[in-house]
Amino acid sequence: MKIALYELYKALKSKVLLILFVALFLLNLALSATYTPVPGVPDECIREINKVYLSTSEELSVAESIANKYIKDNVLQNIFPDKKYEDKLNRVKNYNTTIRNIKSEAEQRSKPSVFSKENSFTQLSFKDIFTAYNNVIENKPSFYPDYGTERYINSADTDLMMLVFVLMLTVIVCCRDKMTGMAAVIRQTPKGRIHSAGAKLIACFLLTVTSAVLLYGTVLLTGTIRFGLGDLSRCIQSIPQFTLCNINMTVGEYLVIHFLFKTSAFFIVVVVMMIICTFLKNVAAA
């Protein structure tokens, strides 16, 4: 563990790495703070509408009256510009009917026929579809302008920043010993390479998790402050991209899983880069 802490200390001493991370953090903050989902619609308007459960015509009227305080023209059309808000509202209202139709079709196709043998891959697949959607048919999606959560889920710019950071981190951690001459000393010690590689992995893992928390946390925090996240206990089917998702989970649970998945993916990038750097160093040494 002491070796890992020392590797962590060496990485944090790198001015290049610190300057790069500060630059990426400030850029990420600036992009999140200036992100404009709908030109001309202020954040306050979206925050207020986020508090309304848009599932009935009465609640829709409440959202209309809120939006009327901020913008003049066809308010909800401006707040949901990619598709008419009626389409999104109808998708939520007709959710249970849509799932029943999927279940019914899957049930029909899962039965033996002249086109499909019993227990064939196709038949078993449709049985799995029927079972999966049977588990979510009782879910009741709610309708929100999900700009806070969508900004976090679709933060491709932050993904790119994380990729740049972990690549630079791996290169610095792997090549620093070579540059300082410590690599030759480590090779001569018993199990030196193994302990050193493990320590470097732990240091990279800690820095990857920390940088992911800071960068993605900034996106989530600015989205919460500017637009609100809505009710995190609502089902994942409430978010338009996941309307036909057949997994039972809440929006809050998905946000946590989303973060863990991305952090794991970047750590895999670190491991692959370390293997490549080690291979290249061995080739150069030979």
Side-chain angles (χ1 to χ4, degrees):
M1 192 62 189
K2 289 182 179 179
I3 303 175
L5 292 175
Y6 180 62
E7 290 290 346
L8 184 62
Y9 170 74
K10 288 194 299 182
L12 292 174
K13 275 185 66 178
S14 171
K15 291 182 180 179
V16 174
L17 191 64
L18 288 177
I19 291 172
L20 175 65
F21 180 76
V22 171
L24 292 175
F25 179 81
L26 293 176
L27 177 61
N28 184 54
L29 180 61
L31 290 174
S32 298
T34 57
Y35 170 68
T36 307
V38 187
V41 179
D43 297 350
E44 295 82 4
C45 177
I46 296 174
R47 274 200 304 273
E48 285 195 43
I49 292 178
N50 254 338
K51 299 174 184 177
V52 182
Y53 183 98
L54 303 181
S55 59
T56 66
S57 56
E58 291 80 7
E59 288 162 347
L60 199 57
S61 298
V62 172
E64 289 273 11
S65 63
I66 291 171
N68 270 322
K69 294 190 298 183
Y70 296 95
I71 45 182
K72 296 177 182 178
D73 304 323
N74 203 348
V75 288
L76 291 183
Q77 294 288 2
N78 287 336
I79 295 174
F80 306 108
D82 51 338
K83 290 183 180 179
K84 292 182 179 181
Y85 70 90
E86 292 96 336
D87 293 341
K88 290 191 175 182
L89 182 57
N90 287 333
R91 191 186 305 176
V92 171
K93 283 184 174 180
N94 299 327
Y95 173 77
N96 296 107
T97 303
T98 303
I99 298 302
R100 285 194 187 93
N101 291 339
I102 293 174
K103 275 184 56 185
S104 177
E105 185 173 352
E107 187 177 22
Q108 280 186 330
R109 297 198 178 192
S110 66
K111 295 176 181 178
S113 68
V114 292
F115 303 104
S116 175
K117 296 180 181 179
E118 189 172 359
N119 293 326
S120 65
F121 176 78
T122 303
Q123 186 183 359
L124 293 175
S125 296
F126 279 113
K127 283 182 179 179
D128 290 339
I129 292 172
F130 175 82
T131 303
Y133 280 103
N134 194 49
N135 294 330
V136 298
I137 193 167
E138 298 302 325
N139 286 356
K140 294 181 179 179
S142 53
F143 184 59
Y144 291 89
D146 289 294
Y147 292 123
T149 51
E150 284 184 7
R151 166 65 182 148
Y152 172 74
I153 293 170
N154 302 319
S155 51
D157 47 359
T158 308
D159 296 341
L160 181 60
M161 293 177 205
M162 272 295 300
L163 181 61
V164 170
F165 177 76
V166 296
L167 290 176
M168 182 60 72
L169 168 66
T170 311
V171 170
I172 289 174
V173 168
C174 288
C175 299
R176 194 173 183 85
D177 289 340
K178 183 75 173 178
M179 295 165 61
T180 58
M182 281 297 295
V185 176
I186 291 171
R187 287 195 199 101
Q188 304 304 319
T189 58
K191 297 184 179 180
R193 290 185 178 183
I194 295 174
H195 289 309
S196 176
K200 291 179 191 298
L201 271 176
I202 293 172
C204 286
F205 174 75
L206 293 174
L207 288 174
T208 300
V209 172
T210 303
S211 58
V213 168
L214 291 173
L215 291 178
Y216 289 113
T218 299
V219 175
L220 192 61
L221 183 61
T222 52
T224 304
I225 293 171
R226 293 186 61 199
F227 312 117
L229 300 179
D231 181 10
L232 293 180
S233 65
R234 69 192 189 275
C235 61
I236 189 63
Q237 289 80 9
S238 301
I239 297 178
Q241 300 99 306
F242 300 99
T243 302
L244 297 180
C245 177
N246 57 22
I247 300 174
N248 259 324
M249 71 170 66
T250 65
V251 173
E253 289 170 345
Y254 175 78
L255 295 182
V256 173
I257 293 171
H258 183 82
F259 171 78
L260 294 175
F261 177 81
K262 283 196 173 182
T263 305
S264 301
F266 286 119
F267 183 61
I268 291 171
V269 171
V270 168
V271 173
V272 172
M273 277 297 297
M274 286 190 71
I275 293 171
I276 292 172
C277 288
T278 303
F279 173 75
L280 292 177
K281 283 195 294 184
N282 292 337
V283 170

